[in-house]
């Protein structure tokens, strides 16, 4: 019994250590964002006797661009996820319920495009976007992210759809459901938890996308990831402001994630309890 | 008088013909039972009729109309799946009413019809539950209700009772048969259980390897099996098959005798009793003949021989089924 208690304490400590290690950078950023610039770069860093301030936040918000970038982030992440969903749902439906001998290969082939480093196609895409007038436009970024995340989304939805028994869809077909009704009234409600988690993941990927947004946007379509980067240049590093900008950038996604998670849990237990 | 006609229907999976050139006419208003061992193509044929699969060859007529390539919903057939395939996210009420809703029927009329069907199937107390909160038997009845409410041209049942326990299965069998006769709707019923086939069918179709072995009324199949396979498949315990000189005396390559058609006699084949099964109303005596051939005979209770007893048995001559070397019944 005594050994059991010691065992539990060790495990708890390990769990806390792991959680702290994961959360440490975020925590540090949070703390730094409330320090004056001089304190922010001080070494060794101090936690006591600091002159805590909201100055960094004021500067970041005053400098302008936050509101527009935040809106761009919401629009880009939201629209690219919805567009990807619109393409991926029918694709995953076909692959899950009308598979052919080549379905598996097709899925792997789609996924393999994600193994290419994006920088490998930066040049052609930049040139195409320049000539098509898509540079620094929301539509351009949305298009790229929607297509870029499509393979992962199709794969995820395919996995979720496969857990829905095909006979339920066939029953709907016999009951007179059209293809659209079969999808919207039977398949999607049944796959809702999977759909929600896929949506959340792809939305987060779109929100966090930095490579393409940094390279293809400048001001008009710049989302928060690009906004954040402006604080690391050109006047040199301002760690306090950079930290404040980072915290401001992740706040919305944390809020959305928290909200979706609650919905997700509710959705999962709703059917079982009721 | 036939409502559904199949002409040369064939379905291949790769090189394998799951359904092989089937010609069949399903009578209007009757209960036709498809029976056969596992993997013989019963489900595939039912799905072809429902329109869930397309045949590689052949034509399908429903009410004299060619429906070979028609979408499932347009065929006017209702199917009950072995897995029930209920909509888990809908209440019992919504499950039963789904087809009517899709057909654009007005809400009050849907409600009225759903309530009527629910009352018929004793589902009224469960109308607002979801399938997860129902017992297996209740789910089964919801699946049947979903088919009945549409007033289809025909019901297609794919082993609808196989997930129920034996007692409930026996009860549902009778209930389903009564319901079908009351409604007078044509039904095709798939099972691999020959006893279920015998009790439910107006007409039985015996399948093997995608082909029809024999079709006919239950007692016709029982008393006049067309071949060795049907003889062995229909009836429980199965027929006794004997080959060699014993069959030769009847002028056949092989003979088959039902357990009830064997009697203990002064003159006959001698054997030793190995097991006696007491079922109450009757008993089955298992014998081994001198050359090792097994034999089962039915005996009245109280008249069974003891275990290990030696005795002689003889068939009722008129009840011996004779088969040629090709397995087909002789004369
Ligand atoms: N989608 C499919 N792809 C390939 N082969 C299939 C498919 N569906 C069925 N088969 C094959 O076709 C044959 C007939 O299958 P079917 O399901 O119709 O048999 P069944 O008579 O219903 O058997 P059971 O009594 O076990 O349900 C089997 O050999 C099966 O393996
Ligand atoms: Mg089957």
């Amino acid at each position: 019994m005594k050994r059991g208690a010691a065992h539990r304490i060790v495990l708890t400590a390990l769990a806390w250590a792991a959680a702290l290690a994961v959360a440490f950078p975020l925590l540090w950023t949070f703390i730094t964002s409330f320090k004056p610039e001089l304190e922010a770069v001080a070494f060794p860093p101090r936690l006591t006797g600091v002159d805590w301030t909201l100055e960094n936040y004021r500067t970041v918000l005053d400098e302008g661009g936050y509101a527009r970038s935040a809106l761009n982030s919401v629009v880009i992440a939201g629209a690219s996820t919805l567009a990807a969903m619109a393409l991926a749902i029918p694709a995953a439906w076909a692959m899950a319920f009308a598979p052919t001998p080549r379905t598996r290969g097709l899925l792997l082939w789609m996924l393999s495009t994600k193994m290419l480093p994006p920088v490998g196609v930066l040049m052609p895409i930049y040139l195409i976007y320049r000539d098509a007038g898509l540079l620094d436009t929301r539509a351009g970024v949305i298009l790229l992210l929607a297509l870029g995340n499509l393979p992962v989304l199709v794969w995820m939805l395919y996995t979720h759809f496969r857990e829905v028994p095909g006979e339920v869809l066939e029953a709907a077909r016999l009951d007179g459901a059209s293809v659209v009704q079969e999808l919207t009234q039977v398949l999607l409600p049944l796959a809702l938890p999977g759909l929600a988690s896929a949506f959340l993941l792809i939305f987060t990927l779109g929100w966090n996308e930095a490579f393409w947004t940094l390279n293809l946007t400048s001001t008009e379509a710049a989302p928060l990831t690009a906004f954040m980067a402006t604080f690391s240049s050109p006047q040199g590093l301002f760690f306090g402001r950079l930290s404040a900008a980072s915290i401001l950038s992740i706040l919305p996604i944390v809020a959305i994630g928290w909200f979706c998670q609650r919905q997700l849990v509710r959705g999962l237990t709703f059917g079982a309890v009721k | 008088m036939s409502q559904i006609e199949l002409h040369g229907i064939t379905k291949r999976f790769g090189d394998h013909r799951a359904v092989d050139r089937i010609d069949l006419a399903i009578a209007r208003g009757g209960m036709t039972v498809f029976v056969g061992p596992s993997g013989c193509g019963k489900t595939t044929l039912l799905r072809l009729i429902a329109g869930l699969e397309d045949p590689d060859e052949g034509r399908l007529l429903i009410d004299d109309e060619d429906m070979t390539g028609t979408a499932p919903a347009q065929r006017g057939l209702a199917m009950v799946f072995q897995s029930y395939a209920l909509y888990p996210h809908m209440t019992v009420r919504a499950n039963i009413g789904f087809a009517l809703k899709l057909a654009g029927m007005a809400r009050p009329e849907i409600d009225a019809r759903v309530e009527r069907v629910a009352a018929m199937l004793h589902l009224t107390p469960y109308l607002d539950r979801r399938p997860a909160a129902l017992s297996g038997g209740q789910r089964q009845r919801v699946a049947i209700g979903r088919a009945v409410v549409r007033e289809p041209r025909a019901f297609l049942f794919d082993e609808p009772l196989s997930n129920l326990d034996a007692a409930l299965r026996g009860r549902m069998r009778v209930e389903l048969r009564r319901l079908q006769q009351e409604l007078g709707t044509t039904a095709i019923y798939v099972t691999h259980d020959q006893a279920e086939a015998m009790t439910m069918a107006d007409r039985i179709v015996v399948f093997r390897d995608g082909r029809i072995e024999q079709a006919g009324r239950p007692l016709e199949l029982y008393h006049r099996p067309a071949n060795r396979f049907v003889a062995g498949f229909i009836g429980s315990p199965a027929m006794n098959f004997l080959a060699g000189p014993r069959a030769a005396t009847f002028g056949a390559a092989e003979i088959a005798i039902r357990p009830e058609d064997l009697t203990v006699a002064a003159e006959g084949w001698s054997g030793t009793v190995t097991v006696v099964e007491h079922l109450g109303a009757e008993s089955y005596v298992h014998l081994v003949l001198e050359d090792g051939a097994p034999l089962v005979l039915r005996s009245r209770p109280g008249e069974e021989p003891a275990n290990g007893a030696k005795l002689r048995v003889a068939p009722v001559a008129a009840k011996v089924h004779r088969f040629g070397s090709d397995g087909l019944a002789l004369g």
Side-chain angles (χ1 to χ4, degrees):
Chain A
M1 203 62 238
K2 221 171 162 186
R3 248 190 72 182
H7 193 66
R8 228 181 21 236
I9 290 170
V10 170
L11 282 184
T12 310
L14 276 174
W16 272 100
L20 268 177
V22 170
F24 182 76
L26 191 62
L27 201 66
W28 200 250
T29 308
F30 186 72
I31 292 169
T32 308
S33 71
F34 294 104
K35 288 180 176 178
E37 285 298 347
L38 268 178
E39 284 283 352
V41 293
F43 192 86
R46 298 193 304 165
L47 281 177
T48 53
V50 178
D51 186 12
W52 300 107
T53 173
L54 285 172
E55 184 58 32
N56 295 322
Y57 285 92
R58 211 167 293 133
T59 320
V60 167
L61 290 174
D62 280 351
E63 221 158 274
Y66 175 76
R68 190 178 56 200
S69 298
L71 183 67
N72 280 340
S73 272
V74 171
V75 170
I76 287 170
S80 68
T81 307
L82 287 178
M85 280 275 179
L87 288 172
I89 286 172
W93 169 71
M95 286 178 182
F97 297 108
T100 72
R102 284 186 210 85
T103 299
R104 197 90 198 151
L106 185 64
L107 264 173
L108 282 171
W109 175 74
M110 280 184 70
L111 206 63
S112 73
T113 60
K114 290 303 278 183
M115 291 162 194
L116 177 80
V119 71
V121 288
L122 175 58
M123 212 48 169
I125 287 194
Y126 187 88
L127 294 178
I128 291 168
Y129 267 49
R130 189 195 59 195
D131 294 346
L134 285 171
L135 283 181
D136 203 21
T137 62
R138 284 179 191 163
V141 184
I142 290 167
L143 179 71
L144 198 70
L145 293 189
L147 294 179
N149 287 331
L150 197 56
V152 179
L153 188 57
V154 169
W155 187 281
M156 285 183 79
L157 293 184
Y158 169 77
T159 316
H160 290 303
F161 286 176
R162 291 245 311 196
E163 281 170 17
V164 172
E167 288 192 343
V168 176
L169 300 189
E170 288 176 344
R173 223 169 293 161
L174 280 165
D175 269 348
S178 66
V179 171
V180 173
Q181 285 167 326
E182 180 184 325
L183 273 172
T184 56
Q185 303 198 27
V186 182
L187 179 60
L188 296 187
L190 284 182
L192 196 59
L195 221 56
S197 60
F199 184 92
L200 195 59
L201 180 82
I202 301 299
F203 186 87
T204 312
L205 284 180
W207 188 277
N208 293 340
E209 177 63 40
F211 179 78
W212 290 111
T213 55
L214 283 175
N215 283 300
L216 298 181
T217 68
S218 51
T219 51
E220 287 307 311
L224 286 171
T225 42
F227 172 74
M228 234 162 83
T230 59
F231 287 90
S232 58
S233 60
Q235 312 95 320
L237 273 178
F238 290 94
F239 275 115
R241 280 177 230 165
L242 184 59
S243 299
S246 302
I247 294 296
L248 283 173
S249 302
I250 61 173
L251 258 168
I253 191 86
V254 167
I256 291 170
W258 184 74
F259 178 76
C260 284
Q261 194 190 18
R262 281 174 52 109
Q263 291 299 108
L264 208 69
V265 171
R266 237 187 55 176
L268 281 172
T269 50
F270 189 61
V273 177
K274 184 96 198 292
Chain B
M1 267 319 279
S2 59
Q3 181 164 30
I4 302 175
E5 284 176 42
L6 312 182
H7 296 286
I9 292 279
T10 297
K11 179 71 185 177
R12 292 189 205 87
F13 292 114
D15 292 338
H16 174 67
R17 284 171 184 255
V19 170
D20 193 7
R21 288 161 289 170
I22 295 292
D23 295 307
L24 189 63
I26 310 281
R28 185 183 304 278
M31 173 84 89
T32 303
V33 174
F34 291 178
V35 68
S38 190
C40 68
K42 307 179 296 287
T43 297
T44 307
L45 186 57
L46 204 65
R47 291 170 57 83
L48 285 163
I49 295 172
L52 295 172
E53 310 268 1
D54 286 322
D56 294 308
E57 289 163 28
R59 287 191 316 131
L60 168 75
L61 305 186
I62 302 175
D63 287 327
D64 298 322
E65 203 183 327
D66 194 324
M67 292 267 186
T68 314
T70 310
Q74 263 78 64
R75 301 187 182 199
L77 308 176
M79 183 153 170
V80 176
F81 293 85
Q82 184 174 356
S83 65
Y84 310 153
L86 301 180
Y87 310 121
H89 58 300
M90 296 183 198
T91 61
V92 170
R93 188 188 301 279
N95 260 281
I96 298 178
F98 190 57
L100 305 182
K101 190 179 124 196
L102 291 176
M105 190 179 282
R107 189 63 202 266
E109 200 185 338
I110 296 181
D111 285 344
R113 272 171 77 163
V114 169
E115 308 260 341
R116 201 165 64 231
V117 167
M120 193 155 69
L121 292 165
H122 315 293
L123 284 170
T124 311
Y126 313 110
L127 274 176
D128 294 312
R129 288 203 200 167
R130 278 164 203 263
L134 297 178
S135 73
Q138 290 160 351
R139 283 179 209 177
Q140 172 59 56
R141 292 208 298 274
V142 176
I144 293 170
R146 204 167 59 175
V148 169
V149 80
R150 290 175 48 197
E151 298 176 2
R153 297 196 221 198
F155 296 122
L156 310 176
F157 296 106
D158 189 4
E159 310 210 18
L161 306 184
S162 62
N163 291 335
L164 305 179
D165 66 59
L168 191 55
R169 189 156 62 225
R171 238 181 21 242
M172 283 303 293
R173 217 186 254 171
V174 179
E175 224 173 291
L176 204 58
R177 181 65 167 136
R178 187 182 49 75
L179 184 74
Q180 186 264 336
Q181 280 171 343
E182 246 172 56
L183 298 170
T185 309
T186 310
I188 302 178
Y189 187 103
V190 165
T191 178
H192 61 253
D193 178 350
Q194 60 85 28
E196 201 165 288
M198 291 293 284
T199 52
M200 297 200 67
D202 291 314
R203 190 152 176 268
I204 295 182
V205 184
V206 182
F207 286 87
R208 179 169 64 154
D209 293 339
R211 299 283 303 158
I212 294 178
E213 291 284 317
Q214 191 176 359
R217 277 179 286 115
L219 289 182
E220 220 169 274
L221 266 58
Y222 190 82
H223 292 303
R224 283 193 302 281
N227 54 49
R228 202 191 169 282
F229 176 78
V230 176
F233 194 79
I234 301 283
S236 173
M239 284 219 206
N240 297 294
F241 285 93
L242 294 166
R246 293 192 190 98
T249 59
F250 288 91
E254 195 168 19
I255 54 171
I257 307 146
R258 297 221 174 263
E260 65 263 33
D261 297 331
L262 278 171
T263 52
V264 178
E267 284 294 302
W269 308 317
S270 63
T272 311
V273 177
T274 54
V275 177
V276 182
E277 283 182 89
H278 300 276
L279 299 181
E282 59 198 10
S283 300
Y284 290 102
V285 180
H286 295 250
L287 306 171
V288 182
L289 297 186
E290 276 161 348
D291 60 352
L295 217 58
V296 181
L297 81 118
R298 193 174 71 175
S299 161
R300 279 218 293 274
E303 294 179 7
E304 314 90 337
N307 240 349
K310 296 206 184 301
L311 46 82
R312 284 172 178 277
V313 292
V316 179
K319 297 286 182 74
V320 172
H321 302 272
R322 304 180 311 126
F323 300 99
S325 50
D326 55 0
L328 296 180
L330 299 173

